[in-house]
Amino acid sequence: MAITRTDLAELAVFAAVARHQSFSKAALELGVSASALSHSLKGLEQRLGVRLLNRSTRAVVPTDAGKRLLEQLVPTLTQLEEALEELTRHSEEPVGRLKLCAPRGAIHTVLAPVLIDYLVRYPRMQVEVVEQELMPRLIEDGYDAAIFYGDLLPKEMIAVPLGPLQRYLVVASPAYLAEHGTPQHPRELARHACIGYRLTPSHHYRWAFAGEEGSLLEIEVTGPLTTSTPALYLGAAEAGLGLAYCLEEEVSQQLAEGKLLSVLEPWCPSFTGFSLFYPSRHQLGHGLRTLIDQLKEHYHRHDC
């Protein structure tokens, strides 16, 4: 039986749906609607005369026949992806689209100094940059890569460190410290109002400090505001609403002007700065590989 273009497309759809066990998640990865995927899978099953997926309201699970097909299909699709990537890698100029996201600070300090030159060099690339303070879901939200704080990256991601280490500080307004006192140890934060930082919609970030003998001391804080937006947590700290935990470079101007004061400095750690990250199971496309190389070249040159 000859393999047609339609067969290849529908087999790739089947592999994506089976891997995610979800039409909606596979649709996000492939950039099409879930209903289109469902229609495509029904057509494949009808032509083969075999049911490949068991569908329910809770999950989409491969049948025994689907599992056997998937075991043989995944290596083949991987080889095809590698062959196409190898072909693209040897072309002189990257072509295609990239969708990236990063917090505002990372866009300003890490991406902006490189991206404009990248687009001038490679005019056949199209790049979309989305400003996002929360940790993104790369595959589900359709991103090729993101830039985020290096110490907070998920384990299943590949990270490319960019730039030097960054130090985190705890800051408060002079008025707040005059009224509530200055904490001398991180554990005293339990008695203070603290501006919380939100890493993801379901993850409230604990403030991290350098403990004894290189250990990490993580403190759960509470207070009147939780946010991932620098303008909000720094503004709240300046207004005397509580202590804020932030990157040193974010607050340098307020410290210099005396609007905020730094506390607990002996415990304030330096962590890996911003990193670019992407899913470990994804092939690194030529456009993204070229951008990473240019970022690394830029920051290596400035670190030297």
Side-chain angles (χ1 to χ4, degrees):
M1 155 176 175
I3 300 295
T4 67
R5 184 181 302 177
T6 299
D7 292 328
L8 287 173
E10 291 178 345
L11 288 170
V13 166
F14 163 68
V17 174
R19 185 173 69 250
H20 288 290
Q21 295 191 2
S22 165
F23 280 100
S24 58
K25 291 181 179 179
L28 285 169
E29 178 184 329
L30 298 175
V32 297
S33 68
S35 60
L37 293 191
S38 179
H39 179 76
S40 178
L41 259 296
K42 287 179 181 177
L44 178 63
E45 289 176 326
Q46 287 173 358
R47 284 206 314 281
L48 295 176
V50 178
R51 188 174 185 83
L52 299 174
L53 296 170
N54 287 321
R55 303 159 174 83
S56 72
T57 57
R58 302 182 65 180
V60 181
V61 181
T63 62
D64 289 340
K67 290 177 183 177
R68 291 196 299 271
L69 175 60
L70 192 64
E71 288 174 359
Q72 296 177 312
L73 184 60
V74 169
T76 303
L77 290 176
T78 300
Q79 287 180 339
L80 287 173
E81 289 176 358
E82 290 174 350
L84 292 173
E85 169 61 21
E86 184 68 19
L87 199 65
T88 307
R89 188 182 303 136
H90 291 295
S91 66
E92 294 183 359
E93 181 182 335
V95 180
R97 297 173 179 268
L98 285 177
K99 185 177 181 182
L100 312 172
C101 72
R104 176 175 295 185
I107 293 173
H108 287 180
T109 63
V110 176
L111 192 57
V114 174
L115 184 60
I116 302 303
D117 181 58
Y118 172 85
L119 291 171
V120 170
R121 286 193 197 183
Y122 308 112
R124 299 171 70 188
M125 286 299 302
Q126 294 181 329
V127 180
E128 179 183 355
V129 179
V130 178
E131 181 181 315
Q132 181 169 317
E133 299 297 331
L134 294 178
M135 172 75 77
R137 303 174 305 167
L138 289 194
I139 296 175
E140 292 87 344
D141 296 339
Y143 293 108
D144 295 289
I147 297 176
F148 210 70
Y149 308 107
D151 60 307
L152 303 177
L153 302 184
K155 293 181 180 179
E156 66 274 14
M157 298 293 170
I158 292 177
V160 181
L162 302 171
L165 294 176
Q166 298 196 36
R167 191 182 187 202
Y168 286 80
L169 296 178
V170 178
V171 298
S173 69
Y176 176 89
L177 296 176
E179 180 177 354
H180 300 280
T182 301
Q184 301 299 316
H185 191 280
R187 291 194 178 88
E188 295 179 20
L189 293 173
R191 301 198 296 269
H192 285 267
C194 298
I195 312 302
Y197 178 74
R198 179 70 68 185
L199 174 60
T200 72
S202 60
H203 185 283
H204 188 191
Y205 182 64
R206 293 180 178 180
W207 293 10
F209 297 92
E212 298 178 358
E213 299 179 357
S215 64
L216 189 66
L217 179 62
E218 294 184 312
I219 303 295
E220 187 80 39
V221 299
T222 58
L225 174 68
T226 298
T227 180
S228 60
T229 304
L232 279 175
Y233 55 70
L234 294 179
E238 285 189 45
L241 293 177
L243 296 134
Y245 184 83
C246 55
L247 292 171
E248 186 171 14
E249 64 183 32
E250 288 180 333
V251 76
S252 57
Q253 182 176 345
Q254 291 90 331
L255 292 173
E257 295 173 354
K259 294 179 180 178
L260 292 172
L261 301 176
S262 176
V263 301
L264 298 175
E265 287 206 17
W267 285 272
C268 289
S270 293
F271 289 121
T272 302
F274 288 117
S275 294
L276 182 144
F277 70 102
Y278 58 93
S280 58
R281 68 169 178 266
H282 275 200
Q283 288 285 28
L284 192 57
H286 190 32
L288 182 56
R289 184 191 306 278
T290 305
L291 177 59
I292 290 173
D293 289 343
Q294 195 166 328
L295 284 163
K296 290 165 70 175
E297 178 186 359
H298 175 84
Y299 287 103
H300 175 73
R301 186 169 65 245
H302 285 73
D303 288 346
C304 292

